Amino acid sequence: MTVARIDSHQHFWRLSRGDYDWMSPKLKAIYRDFEPNDLEPYLKSHQVSKTVAVQAAATVAETEYLLKLTKKNDWIVGVVGWVNMTSPDAIATLDRLKANPKLVGIRPMIQDIADPDWMLSPELTPVFRWLEKNRLAFDALVRPEHLKNLARLLDRHDDLNAVIDHGGKPNIRERQFDAWAEDIAYLANNTRACCKLSGLLTEASIDAGYHELSPYIDWLLKCFGPGKLIWGSDWPVLNLAADYSRWVVLCEQALAPLPAADQRKIWRDNAIAFYNLAI
């Protein structure tokens, strides 16, 4: 099918900024600057007309860097940023950042937080209520061990516009499926959460292809359906496992059996609706 796709999940970084705590030279494939001119050729090759840039550093400064990139690159139609949700200044910071209409949500880096119960802390409640009131998104960067707590959080905040990043990051490399699948099904059936079809290649073995990923993609499709699944690339983190083109082709293969209207929802329409993108 031919449709102007939207990449709901990609990153930029400039190493000299110095706030990417998780980055190291050991990550050879991605240990360099990645900025808009690096991504544009892939977008043109794969009919991707717009993107949402997602935070990769736990600083407000990085969010401001991403928002500045939108001024010179009109195809970046949204930014999912970061704030210190436990700070007394969190709401004031959100109010300030929200003045830029390209801010569409926030993402705490839950997968890197030692306390698995962090998201349930009462001190975060004012920020979650602010997100609900202002209709900004909450990107849940979680692993399978966080999924039950995420369900509890979304039960508390049933009006929260939440999306599960990277399918909840199942451990495809070790073929761990059942517990992840059960928790994903619960979230899909009992909460308003959407889910991103992204990031799965980096959870698999380096030579993984459609055969290894299809049980996980098929389960996400079964649970969330075409109405709540949102495509994204996770570029350039994706480069740790493959490249942009390989991920697009794999997703085309997985989605090919769906009617054209359902494919369009996953490739484009759901991102617009979820992030309330001005397109």
Side-chain angles (χ1 to χ4, degrees):
M1 64 179 296
T2 301
V3 60
R5 299 163 173 168
I6 294 174
D7 186 342
S8 74
H9 199 109
Q10 51 84 197
H11 307 283
F12 299 115
W13 53 72
R14 186 180 299 163
L15 296 184
S16 62
R17 295 190 56 261
D19 53 1
Y20 306 100
D21 293 343
W22 57 276
M23 187 77 71
S24 79
K26 294 180 180 179
L27 301 172
K28 294 180 181 180
I30 61 173
Y31 192 69
R32 66 172 180 85
D33 293 349
F34 286 92
E35 297 195 275
N37 62 320
D38 297 300
L39 180 57
E40 281 187 292
Y42 296 108
L43 304 183
K44 293 175 181 177
S45 294
H46 297 290
Q47 297 81 51
V48 179
S49 63
K50 310 291 182 183
T51 77
V52 176
V54 179
Q55 64 81 226
T59 66
V60 173
E62 197 237 6
T63 300
E64 293 169 336
Y65 156 72
L66 295 175
L67 289 169
K68 286 179 181 177
L69 290 179
T70 69
K71 295 180 180 180
K72 294 183 178 181
N73 305 274
D74 59 5
W75 47 268
I76 308 172
V77 292
V79 168
V80 176
W82 181 94
V83 298
N84 182 352
M85 294 177 67
T86 64
S87 169
D89 299 326
I91 300 300
T93 300
L94 284 165
D95 284 334
R96 177 175 63 81
L97 292 172
K98 184 179 178 289
N100 188 322
K102 291 292 182 71
L103 184 79
V104 296
I106 64 169
R107 183 176 84 151
M109 302 178 82
I110 294 173
Q111 69 171 14
D112 297 328
I113 296 173
D115 181 3
D117 297 325
W118 177 86
M119 73 179 84
L120 300 177
S121 173
E123 65 182 327
L124 304 180
T125 297
V127 175
F128 286 124
R129 287 177 176 167
W130 186 95
L131 292 172
E132 289 177 294
K133 179 181 177 181
N134 289 275
R135 304 308 303 154
L136 260 68
F138 174 69
D139 267 55
L141 177 60
V142 294
R143 298 190 184 279
E145 60 266 28
H146 299 110
L147 293 175
K148 284 185 170 59
N149 274 348
L150 181 60
R152 295 185 184 102
L153 174 68
L154 298 182
D155 183 59
R156 289 182 187 175
H157 298 280
D158 58 4
D159 202 31
L160 187 64
N161 200 31
V163 62
I164 304 164
D165 285 355
H166 314 322
K169 305 194 81 166
N171 188 341
I172 302 171
R173 190 174 292 106
E174 297 182 13
R175 299 185 180 182
Q176 295 179 7
F177 183 86
D178 292 347
W180 166 84
E182 180 181 349
D183 290 338
I184 282 291
Y186 183 89
L187 282 158
N189 294 328
N190 295 280
T191 77
R192 295 176 58 249
C194 293
C195 186
K196 287 188 181 177
L197 179 58
S198 63
L200 297 180
L201 273 173
T202 52
E203 304 305 317
S205 58
I206 196 65
D207 57 348
Y210 182 75
H211 176 74
E212 289 81 7
L213 268 63
S214 61
Y216 299 87
I217 295 175
D218 290 348
W219 187 250
L220 293 174
L221 274 168
K222 179 179 180 179
C223 292
F224 289 97
K228 294 204 299 179
L229 205 59
I230 306 173
W231 181 78
S233 69
D234 198 28
W235 178 95
V237 178
L238 172 66
N239 292 358
L240 290 170
D243 61 20
Y244 204 100
S245 297
R246 183 177 171 197
W247 176 239
V248 169
V249 169
L250 191 153
C251 289
E252 288 174 341
Q253 183 178 359
L255 301 180
L258 299 179
D262 287 346
Q263 291 187 51
R264 179 187 172 98
K265 290 177 183 177
I266 295 169
W267 286 111
R268 175 182 175 87
D269 294 349
N270 293 343
I272 296 173
F274 177 79
Y275 284 120
N276 192 28
L277 301 176
I279 296 177

